[in-house]
Amino acid sequence: MVQIPKTPASSSPAPRSVPTSADVARLAGVSRATVSYVLNNTSTVRISEPTRRRVREAAEELGYVPHAAARTLRAGHSRLVLMPAPAFPVGPLYTRFIGELQGALGRLDYTVVQFGTVGLHGDDAARAWAELRPVAVLVAGHELGTRGVAVLRRSGARAIVTFGTEAVDGTHALLLDHTAVGRSAGRHLYDVGRRRIGVVVPEESGLESFSQPRLHGVRDALADTDATVTALPLAYEEESAARLAARWRGLGLDAVFAYNDEYAMLLMRALQDEGVSIPEDTAMIGADDLMLGRLLRPRLSTVHLEVPSGRDLAELVDRVVRAPGRAPEQHEILGAAVIHRDST
Amino acid sequence: MVQIPKTPASSSPAPRSVPTSADVARLAGVSRATVSYVLNNTSTVRISEPTRRRVREAAEELGYVPHAAARTLRAGHSRLVLMPAPAFPVGPLYTRFIGELQGALGRLDYTVVQFGTVGLHGDDAARAWAELRPVAVLVAGHELGTRGVAVLRRSGARAIVTFGTEAVDGTHALLLDHTAVGRSAGRHLYDVGRRRIGVVVPEESGLESFSQPRLHGVRDALADTDATVTALPLAYEEESAARLAARWRGLGLDAVFAYNDEYAMLLMRALQDEGVSIPEDTAMIGADDLMLGRLLRPRLSTVHLEVPSGRDLAELVDRVVRAPGRAPEQHEILGAAVIHRDST
DNA sequence: TTGAAAGCGATACCAG
DNA sequence: CTGGTATCGCTTTCAA
């Protein structure tokens, strides 16, 4: 790591103690109850305008900030919507989705928080989340067992929304059926006349839940045809791609679905370095519709994923929180559309 | 958005009420105090082994999960380390950093949480964070004014660590001096014999705090030379790059620092499509040392950023939390090293 | 070695 | 319209 010289700067100000609503009440000359009424705009009770002003001014002057833990304790539940922080680099798609979700839920007065999950797994993770008594949890289905769901439910979570390839019992499930991605890719390659089709399967761990369904989707799409499907393990490194490219002609493939655009770029480079021409010798399609696909030559065909907007999910969460008795729903939310460019 | 058909599934289990430590005590036949002692491994008090077991079994059987809010309220502070969730796509570098940080702080028994910040700014954001009474806050310096710092301090935050281009008063500052990146790039281009140097400045908002220092760094490095520096506004879109490439020959540049590897890829493509050859006509260098740079042809020279590991930062946070009286420190943490490949 | 009880801060009854 | 006050779940003294 980079050197860290130590440079003392200005000294910190005297850390006065944290003002509470009692302090505000004292300064405003009212009771704590009144402070609470005013600051929460409680409508069931009428407070005179001068009193309101005095309270607000006192709060302002003291720099009063309500104590979320106290409120949570009293209320029995927080306004926290918990989701795990992603453990891998996320693309613009996901970032935008999260941003929308947070914005929308924020407007509905929830607090969205991404929980650091490194080192915690299964039921331990569920317990750690439950300690915060979140009102809702959004989580990948495979991170949550039946026990985890029970723990969260019992700890007061009103909405548990899972996403992944299969529904988790007792939760609202958003099904991301990646076989659809593979099916689209497979069908497209078949339609452009290819019959010996390779499918890149990343060797990086953590990607299996995407890569396997994508592979199976291709198999699915080509099951009743004369086409063959070959799985091609590939690590996200130049050497791995070079090795695969070196034995490419021996494989006798005329098309490849490269898992996604990034793996496609890696493999395209290696193949071109080997003198394999795309799309003439081998057609190639990626997935995710990243900018970089448009910057490759030939321009990369890709499978564009359609996911719901963060706003839609926010609405679902709010609906479930407010009607917690509702039976869990399952939503198929992953759409796939081929974007045909020059590489196929 | 994708269609969402509704498919009811199994009904949810009976939502029993949340077990508290009192329930555990009752089941184990001990007092609540004893439960607390056992579950927290309090060392100042000795509990018999059989009692410990009874308590633990009771907790297990009830699925007891402690209530973080109650604990926080009692303790006067949480173990929460708060940082804003990034509002833009982050690369592998940042993801790894966050992962390490969370892991390391988790091992020190802190809970790292990324706070959804969309729609909140300045003092409002600081107040929202303060409500959670975090023990530490990690935040980009420009998101936090003097008032924000005061609010957080007063609400009990023991460590406030800012990162950014300049120190924020009253906080421990991690200085990410991006001028160093520009300086490295500028010096390198000069060293390989280039004199008319362009610097890409992204038009996307939110990137100014990186792009401006990088630009100034180049100016800095070339201040006392015969080289010229030209700022080149560029949006991350193909058309914008095409427009820039179209007037490239008129600009008469023999080198360009492309802000980072992604903008470099965008511009390289556009220039090559215009028939500008790299590095002969124009040398190009990126930054961030992404995988994609190695996949371009020519392979992209780049500025590799050296940032501290998440572990180092975790250690700093822990140290500051435990010795809150300490004067704020300023650390220069950004190292920059040129990786010379084929594009310069 | 264990238990009783105070109290953290905010809220929502119920009296006045 | 406003003020006491009990309450949420947990930790931690102090007594037994």
Side-chain angles (χ1 to χ4, degrees):
Chain A
M1 98 167 246
V2 178
Q3 217 179 353
I4 294 198
K6 290 174 181 116
T7 314
S10 69
S11 65
S12 53
R16 284 174 297 164
S17 70
V18 195
T20 73
S21 75
D23 296 320
V24 176
R26 205 168 311 127
L27 182 60
V30 300
S31 77
R32 277 152 66 229
T34 305
V35 171
S36 175
Y37 292 143
V38 171
L39 296 182
N40 294 302
N41 279 315
T42 308
S43 52
T44 61
V45 87
R46 307 180 101 62
I47 307 283
S48 69
E49 199 44 53
T51 305
R52 301 184 99 87
R53 225 191 13 259
R54 283 215 316 284
V55 170
R56 271 196 256 274
E57 282 167 0
E60 178 68 25
E61 180 176 339
L62 293 176
Y64 169 70
V65 176
H67 196 309
R71 176 181 290 150
T72 294
L73 182 57
R74 177 65 231 239
H77 60 262
S78 66
R79 291 292 285 178
L80 239 42
V81 176
L82 228 56
M83 51 192 303
F88 42 82
V90 296
L93 222 70
Y94 186 79
T95 307
R96 196 164 59 89
F97 174 74
I98 294 285
E100 288 176 355
L101 181 66
Q102 289 180 342
L105 283 175
R107 258 168 272 129
L108 292 170
D109 209 41
Y110 297 92
T111 297
V112 179
V113 137
Q114 294 181 251
F115 195 93
T117 312
V118 178
L120 266 66
H121 294 292
D123 293 345
D124 286 342
R127 248 190 303 277
W129 299 337
E131 291 195 7
L132 297 179
R133 298 293 190 272
V135 66
V137 175
L138 312 179
V139 62
H142 62 262
E143 304 204 37
L144 209 56
T146 312
R147 315 242 333 223
V149 173
V151 167
L152 287 170
R153 262 278 129 67
R154 214 158 347 115
S155 78
R158 309 272 285 265
I160 304 178
V161 180
T162 56
F163 26 153
T165 52
E166 43 199 67
V168 176
D169 226 47
T171 73
H172 290 253
L174 303 181
L175 296 176
L176 296 161
D177 181 10
H178 283 260
T179 60
V181 178
R183 267 199 304 275
S184 296
R187 203 175 309 123
H188 172 73
L189 292 175
Y190 190 89
D191 288 347
V192 295
R194 308 295 169 140
R195 292 297 179 269
R196 299 185 49 81
I197 292 173
V199 177
V200 168
V201 180
E203 290 178 347
E204 279 68 29
S205 69
L207 263 39
E208 300 87 359
S209 55
F210 307 122
S211 61
Q212 287 303 321
R214 287 183 185 192
L215 171 59
H216 292 141
V218 177
R219 291 228 156 91
D220 234 42
L222 304 177
D224 298 323
T225 71
D226 55 335
T228 65
V229 175
T230 309
L232 303 168
L234 174 64
Y236 195 63
E237 297 156 6
E238 280 190 281
E239 311 81 64
S240 177
R243 275 196 303 275
L244 177 55
R247 58 193 189 89
W248 195 258
R249 297 190 192 276
L251 290 168
L253 301 175
D254 61 9
V256 60
F257 168 44
Y259 176 67
N260 74 8
D261 291 353
E262 290 180 306
Y263 282 83
M265 181 180 184
L266 175 65
L267 181 56
M268 180 184 287
R269 184 78 277 157
L271 289 179
Q272 288 175 336
D273 287 351
E274 273 298 314
V276 175
S277 78
I278 296 170
E280 293 75 10
D281 298 337
T282 299
M284 180 180 290
I285 185 168
D288 292 357
D289 190 18
L290 301 184
M291 166 70 104
L292 66 80
R294 266 170 287 165
L295 300 179
L296 298 178
R297 295 296 179 270
R299 292 170 196 265
L300 184 68
S301 295
T302 191
V303 181
H304 176 86
L305 305 191
E306 294 161 354
V307 293
S309 74
R311 260 184 311 285
D312 293 327
L313 178 50
E315 205 180 283
L316 170 65
V317 169
D318 185 49
R319 192 155 47 85
V320 175
V321 166
R322 287 151 72 141
R326 293 274 289 282
E329 303 165 1
Q330 294 170 27
H331 297 163
E332 188 58 68
I333 61 165
L334 190 61
V338 167
I339 297 183
H340 192 172
R341 292 200 277 247
D342 308 331
S343 67
T344 56
Chain B
M1 95 165 251
V2 178
Q3 217 178 355
I4 295 198
K6 285 165 184 127
T7 315
S10 71
S11 65
S12 52
R16 284 174 298 165
S17 70
V18 195
T20 73
S21 75
D23 296 320
V24 176
R26 206 168 310 128
L27 182 59
V30 300
S31 76
R32 279 152 66 225
T34 306
V35 172
S36 176
Y37 291 143
V38 172
L39 296 183
N40 294 303
N41 279 315
T42 307
S43 53
T44 59
V45 87
R46 308 183 99 63
I47 308 282
S48 69
E49 199 45 53
T51 305
R52 303 185 97 88
R53 227 193 11 261
R54 283 215 315 284
V55 169
R56 272 197 257 273
E57 283 167 359
E60 179 68 25
E61 181 177 336
L62 293 175
Y64 169 70
V65 175
H67 196 308
R71 174 182 289 151
T72 294
L73 185 56
R74 175 64 227 233
H77 61 262
S78 68
R79 293 290 285 177
L80 238 43
V81 176
L82 227 57
M83 51 193 302
F88 42 82
V90 296
L93 222 70
Y94 186 79
T95 307
R96 196 164 59 90
F97 175 75
I98 295 285
E100 289 176 356
L101 181 66
Q102 289 180 344
L105 284 175
R107 258 168 271 128
L108 294 170
D109 209 42
Y110 296 93
T111 297
V112 179
V113 136
Q114 294 180 250
F115 195 93
T117 311
V118 177
L120 266 66
H121 294 291
D123 293 345
D124 286 340
R127 246 190 304 277
W129 298 339
E131 291 196 7
L132 296 178
R133 298 292 191 272
V135 67
V137 176
L138 311 179
V139 61
H142 62 261
E143 304 203 37
L144 209 57
T146 312
R147 314 245 331 225
V149 174
V151 167
L152 287 170
R153 263 276 131 66
R154 213 155 352 111
S155 78
R158 309 273 285 265
I160 304 178
V161 179
T162 55
F163 27 153
T165 53
E166 43 199 66
V168 176
D169 226 46
T171 74
H172 290 254
L174 302 181
L175 296 176
L176 295 161
D177 181 10
H178 283 261
T179 60
V181 178
R183 268 198 306 273
S184 296
R187 205 176 309 123
H188 172 72
L189 292 175
Y190 190 88
D191 288 347
V192 295
R194 307 296 169 140
R195 292 299 178 268
R196 300 186 46 81
I197 293 174
V199 177
V200 169
V201 180
E203 289 177 347
E204 279 68 30
S205 69
L207 264 38
E208 300 88 358
S209 54
F210 306 123
S211 60
Q212 287 302 320
R214 288 183 183 190
L215 171 60
H216 292 141
V218 177
R219 290 229 155 90
D220 234 43
L222 305 177
D224 298 322
T225 71
D226 55 334
T228 63
V229 175
T230 309
L232 304 168
L234 175 64
Y236 195 62
E237 299 156 5
E238 280 191 280
E239 311 81 61
S240 177
R243 275 196 302 277
L244 177 55
R247 59 194 188 87
W248 195 258
R249 297 190 193 278
L251 290 167
L253 301 175
D254 60 10
V256 59
F257 168 44
Y259 176 67
N260 74 8
D261 291 355
E262 290 180 307
Y263 282 83
M265 181 180 184
L266 175 65
L267 181 57
M268 180 184 286
R269 185 77 277 155
L271 290 178
Q272 288 175 335
D273 286 351
E274 273 298 312
V276 175
S277 77
I278 297 170
E280 293 76 11
D281 298 336
T282 299
M284 180 179 292
I285 185 169
D288 292 357
D289 191 18
L290 301 184
M291 165 70 103
L292 65 82
R294 268 170 286 164
L295 300 179
L296 297 179
R297 294 299 179 268
R299 291 169 196 266
L300 184 68
S301 295
T302 191
V303 181
H304 177 86
L305 305 191
E306 294 161 354
V307 293
S309 74
R311 263 184 309 284
D312 294 326
L313 179 50
E315 207 180 282
L316 170 65
V317 169
D318 185 49
R319 192 155 46 83
V320 175
V321 166
R322 287 151 72 141
R326 293 274 289 284
E329 303 165 2
Q330 293 168 27
H331 297 163
E332 187 57 67
I333 60 165
L334 190 60
V338 167
I339 296 182
H340 191 172
R341 292 200 276 248
D342 308 331
S343 67
T344 56

